[in-house]
Amino acid sequence: MRTFNVTNPATGTNIGAAPDANADDARAAIERSIAAFPRWKAKTAFERGELLRRWRDLILKHEDAIARLMTSEMGKPITESRGEVKYAAGFVDWYAEEGKRAYGDIIQSHVATKRLLATRQPVGPVYAVTPWNFPAAMVTRKVAPALAAGCTVVLKPAEQSPLTAIRLAELWVEAGGDADVFQVITTGDPAAVSEPFFADARVRKLTFTGSTEVGKVLYAQAARTVKRVSLELGGHAPFLVFEDADIASAVAQVMATKFRNAGQTCVCANRIYVHASIRDAFVAQMATAVQALRVGDPLNEATQVGPLVDRAGLEKVAGHVADAVAKGARVAVGGQSGPGLFFAPTLLVDVAAGMRILDEETFGPVAPVVTFTVEAEAVAAANDTPYGLAAYLWTRDLGRAFRVAEALDYGIVGVNDGLPATPHAPFGGVKASGVGREGGRWGLEEYLDVKYVSIALP
Ligand code: NAD
């Protein structure tokens, strides 16, 4: 079988190879998925839950090895990778139970001789496409609810991080899971491999996490066979720090959300709006924190910031910094590109409208600070984007916390909380950030259809 190489972004060395599937392989995977669906659907939610629990146990048992694999293929610091394995297992844990709660309803009848039921049933075979930035959690956040609901899944991971997904599928089989119920298909040509899924009306659902650009293309493709669709797309998170904020807490949390995974998360703070009256204190504290970040080999336990995933990612980050500086921003800390795919953790100040960094997702370790004076001005600036995934606000005023949280046009709002994501809460965006929700009971709904049964009594 043909393969493609997987490279460690920190060193440039080859760490392995993954099968390079083509459209014929995709068609074969679809047939297996369709054949497996009736037998998987026929199992009880309790039986499915039991298998999911065994899968969770194996993921946790192999936490360190999976974490090392993930760090080697996409460069996230090893301590974060271990955290991600736990987070990934958390979705499996949650849905092992939640599948049992796919309740229906008995509806009051308008006719004495009728009984009306609304029941739930699995959508059908699912095609899942995931990104490289959370190679384990983005897999389980889709696969665990789909399996719990009774759907079969073929998952196509990103070219940069196929090995983690392959390992998760191996563990599913080791747990006793049916290899045709959850399949992973890896390829260097995602468009060609995806085509048969879009052409086949028996594949009932597309679930995608990745960029808005690719998400729009797949949304249109899915329309051809009218599939159910869930899209978790790009973000451009604003982080608002009001004059009554606890500055030390805001700095600690902006550091956590901004520099996690070298800034390569969909919910990381991309635009930091700070009230003019506290701007100098905030910037001084943040500069100290950015300077103290330990950059280096992500397999080293002490490393806090690793490389960017690839050359295109690095060039985008460098381009955003150069554009901002050319338009009047000042580099307070960092700013240098290299060595290799590393970009120095960077603090930019005097950032203003018209700079690319305020319009596009940076996906890198660059924190741009903008100053504001009026609450309404900050909220308007925060909402002035096509994206609507996550937003953050820092204040100790309860009225302001509610007012601003309600005014922000986002799917997720962190109030004095820079890390709101957790397996049992709804995660997802509005506007160009996507359609649908993952996590919690909302994540299960995405894989269930409502079936209405009206019974006329004889
Ligand atoms: P990407 O859109 O380039 O790729 C995502 C996936 O789509 C990969 O598996 C890729 O192989 C596949 N793909 C690309 N072109 C395709 C095509 N023509 N047909 C079929 N599949 C195709 O995104 P990425 O660079 O891997 O991930 C980063 C992006 O993901 C960022 O924009 C980030 O914000 C977003 N993201 C969003 C969430 C969320 O929950 N909203 C979570 C993580 C990442």
Side-chain angles (χ1 to χ4, degrees):
M1 181 169 216
R2 286 191 313 146
T3 59
F4 64 95
N5 288 337
V6 183
T7 310
N8 180 335
T11 59
T13 51
N14 185 4
I15 59 154
D20 191 9
N22 60 25
D24 285 339
D25 300 316
R27 279 186 276 271
I30 291 169
E31 292 306 330
R32 285 195 294 274
S33 195
I34 287 164
F37 176 59
R39 57 178 192 266
W40 183 242
K41 179 186 172 186
K43 289 203 182 296
T44 67
F46 290 79
E47 290 168 317
R48 292 195 291 260
E50 186 53 39
L51 272 170
L52 285 167
R53 252 195 313 278
R54 274 191 249 148
W55 188 32
R56 174 213 52 195
D57 290 346
L58 284 178
I59 294 171
L60 290 175
K61 183 175 159 198
H62 295 283
E63 175 186 312
D64 198 57
I66 299 170
R68 287 183 173 277
L69 184 59
M70 215 189 307
T71 291
S72 303
E73 62 181 352
M74 52 69 68
K76 105 174 21 183
I78 185 69
T79 50
E80 286 187 28
S81 289
R82 287 201 198 98
E84 184 183 336
V85 177
K86 289 193 185 72
Y87 181 50
F91 286 102
V92 185
D93 187 56
W94 174 265
Y95 286 108
E97 292 303 316
E98 192 62 11
K100 299 171 192 166
R101 291 184 276 271
Y103 300 122
D105 299 275
I106 296 174
I107 302 156
Q108 285 295 324
S109 178
H110 53 298
V111 180
T113 55
K114 280 193 178 188
R115 299 294 180 267
L116 314 181
L117 318 179
T119 63
R120 303 310 193 82
Q121 60 180 38
V123 167
V126 173
Y127 181 45
V129 179
T130 50
W132 49 266
N133 65 341
F134 288 94
M138 294 304 100
V139 171
T140 59
R141 198 165 78 174
K142 296 184 184 309
V143 174
L147 297 184
C151 298
T152 53
V153 183
V154 182
L155 180 127
K156 194 209 73 57
E159 301 85 287
Q160 296 91 337
S161 62
L163 303 179
T164 304
I166 290 173
R167 188 70 191 119
L168 290 172
E170 286 169 358
L171 292 177
W172 164 252
V173 172
E174 200 178 316
D178 182 329
D180 290 348
V181 163
F182 168 35
Q183 303 173 70
V184 166
I185 187 163
T186 58
T187 180
D189 188 351
V193 159
S194 298
E195 169 56 28
F197 290 90
F198 294 120
D200 196 325
R202 298 171 302 166
V203 176
R204 290 308 319 133
K205 163 125 191 162
L206 164 72
T207 174
F208 171 79
T209 297
S211 61
T212 296
E213 192 187 3
V214 173
K216 285 180 182 173
V217 172
L218 302 198
Y219 201 4
Q221 292 281 331
R224 288 160 51 200
T225 44
V226 197
K227 298 188 196 308
R228 287 269 304 264
V229 173
S230 301
L231 303 170
E232 295 282 351
L233 308 179
H236 193 33
F239 191 103
L240 311 182
V241 189
F242 290 98
E243 61 273 31
D244 57 6
D246 175 338
I247 297 177
S249 155
V251 169
Q253 295 277 299
V254 81
M255 293 298 296
T257 169
K258 175 73 255 186
F259 293 100
R260 189 164 65 111
N261 205 2
Q264 301 168 113
T265 82
C266 51
V267 291
C268 77
N270 262 291
R271 302 171 286 149
I272 304 163
Y273 295 93
V274 182
H275 192 270
S277 64
I278 57 164
R279 183 257 187 208
D280 290 351
F282 182 92
V283 166
Q285 287 186 34
M286 195 169 169
T288 305
V290 175
Q291 236 141 15
L293 286 170
R294 289 184 294 270
V295 182
D297 178 356
L299 281 169
N300 183 332
E301 296 290 333
T303 294
Q304 292 170 296
V305 180
L308 292 163
V309 75
D310 55 24
R311 175 85 22 211
L314 180 74
E315 280 168 9
K316 184 173 190 196
V317 173
H320 276 194
V321 172
D323 172 79
V325 168
K327 292 173 181 163
R330 188 169 61 77
V331 176
V333 181
Q336 315 84 7
S337 190
L341 296 178
F342 286 85
F343 196 91
T346 298
L347 179 61
L348 283 180
V349 294
D350 301 335
V351 175
M355 298 179 186
R356 270 178 67 202
I357 200 160
L358 290 188
D359 293 335
E360 299 169 21
E361 188 180 29
T362 305
F363 240 54
V366 181
V369 174
V370 186
T371 309
F372 73 90
T373 50
V374 180
E375 179 186 300
E377 172 202 342
V379 171
N383 285 339
D384 186 16
T385 170
Y387 296 102
L389 186 57
Y392 307 91
L393 69 112
W394 248 258
T395 180
R396 282 182 281 205
D397 176 332
L398 189 60
R400 171 175 275 156
F402 270 93
R403 192 166 59 239
V404 175
E406 287 166 12
L408 286 168
D409 211 359
Y410 287 81
I412 303 164
V413 177
V415 179
N416 301 323
D417 183 5
L419 300 168
T422 181
H424 46 280
F427 189 103
V430 297
K431 296 159 68 180
S433 290
V435 176
R437 291 292 178 273
E438 293 188 324
R441 65 180 165 84
W442 303 268
L444 190 68
E445 300 284 336
E446 302 281 330
Y447 299 95
L448 292 169
D449 280 329
V450 175
K451 177 177 273 179
Y452 167 51
V453 181
S454 174
I455 305 167
L457 303 178

